Amino acid sequence: MHKGENMEIKKITMIGQGALGILFGKKITDAVGKENMRYLADQSRIDRYQKSGVTCNGELCDFGYVTPEEKGDPADLVIFAVKGPTLAEAIRNAKYQIGSRTILLSLMNGISSEAEIGKVYGTDNLLYCVAQGMDATRAGNTLIYTKAGELIFGEMDGSRSENVKAVAALFDKSGISYEIPQDMNRIMWKKFMMNVGVNQAVTAFESSYGGVQIEGEPRRTMQEAMREVITIANLKGIDLNESDIDYWMNVLAHFGKELKPSMAQDADAKRKTEVGLFAGTVIRIADQLGVQVPVNRWLYQRIHEIESKY
């Protein structure tokens, strides 16, 4: 859509049925109906989902689906909720879901998915987003969570565009907690720092949230990995600091100690992880800046070692 136009989001396409895809997809489906909130998936995956069923906190979900081949029915909003290794495929598959007015939103980890989506579909209708504060754990087609968290989203310049207002209205209707910040770039780096620390430390030490909630090597490794992100962020002019680590330690303290972040869930299921998005990105930027990031280098090697045993 063009900036300045009023718009109501009536049709939504979600790409990805992982933890966040199910959590937020169910909230939206409950609000607008499965005829208006559909998941994009190939037919074999749709058949599998419909045969085995998808449950969210014990409730069977009644979801709508659309295949990548179906033409002529673009969505008002397309939400990318896939993992890093499958983003390129998701971007290709979204082709017929995206029209000139379609708003694009990525719930993905890392700080690069928006750039990848924007390369193909442009940035005019692309909003930036981070998902945080949820402890959702998916096993097979079953999702459990105690905290739904929130979506922090907006334009990079902090403006309240019509696109932002339209998405906010949908989230209000769906009961999704959200925030629209002034400095979206700082928020994205702050969340990236958490992913780099928490997700990777829990995975590398084959633990759970409980393993980094107490003093010990996993928790120290987590915090040092975060400090390496602060170092490169500061060199890029982004104001991250120790108070941001304190913020995440407080959030982390309230997560179910037996639950795990998505990266550790991927390792348990012997899926390819997002270590390239996390430690890989830190290492690449650190090399460009000429700084040392030994903890992230160790995490990168350790998690690849775990993957190599699948």
Side-chain angles (χ1 to χ4, degrees):
M1 66 176 286
H2 303 290
K3 307 282 182 185
E5 274 189 49
N6 289 314
M7 179 183 185
E8 180 186 356
I9 295 171
K10 295 178 179 176
K11 189 157 290 189
I12 304 98
T13 299
M14 179 81 73
I15 310 175
Q17 204 169 77
L20 296 187
I22 295 172
L23 196 166
F24 293 112
K26 183 172 189 315
K27 285 179 175 289
I28 295 171
T29 299
D30 288 349
V32 304
K34 73 174 187 179
E35 67 279 5
N36 296 313
M37 203 330 282
R38 64 266 178 108
Y39 287 88
L40 182 72
D42 61 52
Q43 193 60 54
S44 63
R45 194 178 290 258
I46 293 170
D47 292 342
R48 199 162 70 244
Y49 288 148
Q50 292 181 328
K51 182 181 178 183
S52 60
V54 177
T55 62
C56 181
N57 279 349
E59 184 181 344
L60 188 64
C61 303
D62 185 18
F63 288 147
Y65 294 94
V66 62
T67 65
E69 295 76 28
E70 292 182 45
K71 298 181 182 180
D73 188 22
D76 300 317
L77 171 67
V78 169
I79 302 173
F80 290 85
V82 296
K83 292 292 180 64
T86 57
L87 176 59
E89 179 188 10
I91 290 172
R92 288 193 302 273
N93 288 345
K95 178 179 174 183
Y96 295 128
Q97 296 300 308
I98 297 172
S100 62
R101 297 165 59 90
T102 303
I103 301 169
L104 307 174
L105 192 73
S106 168
L107 309 187
M108 293 174 60
N109 288 322
I111 49 176
S112 56
S113 65
E114 284 87 357
E116 295 303 309
I117 295 164
K119 278 181 198 170
V120 178
Y121 297 114
T123 57
D124 284 356
N125 297 319
L126 180 67
L127 298 180
Y128 295 80
C129 180
V130 298
Q132 67 182 42
M134 60 284 300
D135 59 4
T137 300
R138 179 185 148 224
N141 287 345
T142 299
L143 179 78
I144 57 166
Y145 67 89
T146 65
K147 291 177 173 53
E150 65 175 347
L151 298 179
I152 304 181
F153 78 98
E155 301 281 2
M156 190 53 80
D157 63 6
S159 64
R160 296 288 180 115
S161 66
E162 293 305 319
N163 285 355
V164 169
K165 292 175 186 173
V167 172
L170 174 69
F171 288 171
D172 285 335
K173 186 176 183 179
S174 305
I176 294 172
S177 296
Y178 66 89
E179 184 183 330
I180 304 168
Q182 288 296 311
D183 190 346
M184 194 67 226
N185 199 30
R186 183 183 190 282
I187 292 292
M188 292 183 72
W189 273 84
K190 182 177 174 180
K191 171 66 188 305
F192 177 61
M193 179 182 75
M194 190 276 286
N195 287 144
V196 166
V198 179
N199 291 28
Q200 295 193 129
V202 172
T203 305
F205 288 94
E206 298 179 278
S207 181
S208 63
Y209 287 128
V212 291
Q213 287 169 334
I214 56 174
E215 290 305 323
E217 189 179 357
R219 186 176 175 91
R220 286 193 296 274
T221 300
M222 171 184 72
Q223 291 173 333
E224 287 305 313
M226 288 178 162
R227 290 188 179 103
E228 291 178 353
V229 175
I230 289 176
T231 298
I232 61 173
N234 291 168
L235 288 169
K236 291 175 72 68
I238 297 151
D239 177 30
L240 289 185
N241 54 64
E242 279 289 322
S243 70
D244 295 310
I245 294 182
D246 293 340
Y247 171 87
W248 286 123
M249 292 307 97
N250 183 56
V251 171
L252 179 63
H254 295 91
F255 283 0
K257 65 182 180 181
E258 74 287 352
L259 300 179
K260 299 183 178 188
S262 58
M263 177 183 262
Q265 295 172 44
D266 287 338
D268 285 349
K270 296 181 167 45
R271 292 189 292 261
K272 189 171 171 61
T273 73
E274 294 184 311
V275 68
L277 275 185
F278 299 158
T281 299
V282 173
I283 292 165
R284 177 173 51 79
I285 296 173
D287 286 347
Q288 292 168 356
L289 296 170
V291 296
Q292 298 300 312
V293 286
V295 176
N296 273 282
R297 286 191 187 280
W298 178 81
L299 286 165
Y300 188 79
Q301 292 170 348
R302 169 64 185 144
I303 294 167
H304 276 302
E305 181 186 303
I306 289 170
E307 289 182 340
S308 72
K309 294 175 182 173
Y310 292 171

